[in-house]
Amino acid sequence: MGSIEFFADKPTLVGKRILLRAFASADIDLMGGILADPEVLTLTGTVHTTAAARGRSAILDSKTRQWYETRAEQPDRLDLAIIDQASSTCVGEVVLNELTTENDSCSFRILIGPAGRNRGLGTEATQLIVQHAFQTTPLHRIELEVFAFNPRAQHVYERSGFIIEGVRRDAHKFDGRYVDTIIMSILRPENPPDRLSSQSQQ
């Protein structure tokens, strides 16, 4: 495995209620509506006001569509669609990116649209991709940032083994108010192989 090819393989990871896989054309179509969702726009820090989170087009522009179409070609990051097995539709994405091979570390992010929320799918997706990363790559550390006004996500990360490291005070501004950014991480020794009882299909 080359030092930059941690994520050259794009697996299909099968859980109890979801599967994670490389983006298909139908998944990309659905990402338009997911990325236009006001809650997604707010919690990802894409917008800085409630007004800006409203009225976004559910149709992807050509640049964003091309971005998703080329994710499977990137050996230094892993972008997978979250597929709800009950409906066989894409409800969001999980990403391992910002790879630093010298430190065996990377960043993690996840976003889920309205159809996939409040059902435990985010927890399962987080655990699936973290377990895959530690089992198939030399990664030692995975880190993330979450806004203080998103306690639901913080709870998901804590259930998945992430630990709070610190806070970037007033690092984000939304609707005229400053919001802390919470820094969390998980290390290889903190992720037991039996954390998630699911199967992976390469």
Side-chain angles (χ1 to χ4, degrees), residues 42-188:
T42 299
L43 298 182
T44 58
T46 304
V47 297
H48 293 269
T49 65
T50 299
R54 300 178 182 139
R56 290 290 184 99
S57 172
I59 300 175
L60 292 178
D61 58 55
S62 59
K63 184 177 180 179
T64 305
R65 174 171 289 278
Q66 183 180 29
W67 166 266
Y68 280 103
E69 290 173 345
T70 57
R71 292 309 86 198
E73 304 167 10
Q74 314 304 315
D76 62 341
R77 57 183 291 144
L78 183 60
D79 301 75
L80 299 177
I82 303 172
I83 307 300
D84 179 3
Q85 293 192 44
S87 61
S88 299
T89 58
C90 176
V91 295
E93 67 177 351
V94 285
V95 178
L96 296 175
N97 61 356
E98 298 179 354
L99 175 65
T100 303
T101 56
E102 296 84 357
N103 297 323
D104 294 330
S105 70
C106 74
S107 295
F108 167 78
R109 66 176 175 82
I110 182 173
L111 61 85
I112 295 182
R117 289 200 284 262
N118 302 315
R119 297 165 52 204
L121 304 189
T123 299
E124 188 174 351
T126 300
Q127 293 175 355
L128 271 173
I129 198 167
V130 166
Q131 182 170 310
H132 168 76
F134 284 135
Q135 288 182 346
T136 64
T137 77
L139 279 174
H140 177 72
R141 170 186 169 89
I142 301 174
E143 63 184 49
L144 62 85
E145 294 186 353
V146 58
F147 296 129
F149 59 31
N150 192 2
R152 180 178 61 191
Q154 182 180 330
H155 179 63
V156 167
Y157 302 144
E158 289 173 335
R159 287 186 61 191
S160 303
F162 284 84
I163 295 172
I164 295 176
E165 292 187 335
V167 176
R168 295 174 59 221
R169 298 179 303 159
D170 289 357
H172 181 65
K173 189 177 182 181
F174 187 80
D175 279 348
R177 297 183 177 182
Y178 294 105
V179 182
D180 291 344
T181 298
I182 301 167
I183 302 167
M184 306 180 72
S185 73
I186 184 170
L187 306 180
R188 177 183 291 273

Side-chain angles (χ1 to χ4, degrees), residues 23-53:
F23 282 92
S25 180
D27 306 329
I28 298 173
D29 291 338
L30 290 172
M31 286 302 298
I34 293 169
L35 293 175
D37 175 63
E39 185 168 321
V40 167
L41 289 165
T42 299
L43 298 182
T44 58
T46 304
V47 297
H48 293 269
T49 65
T50 299

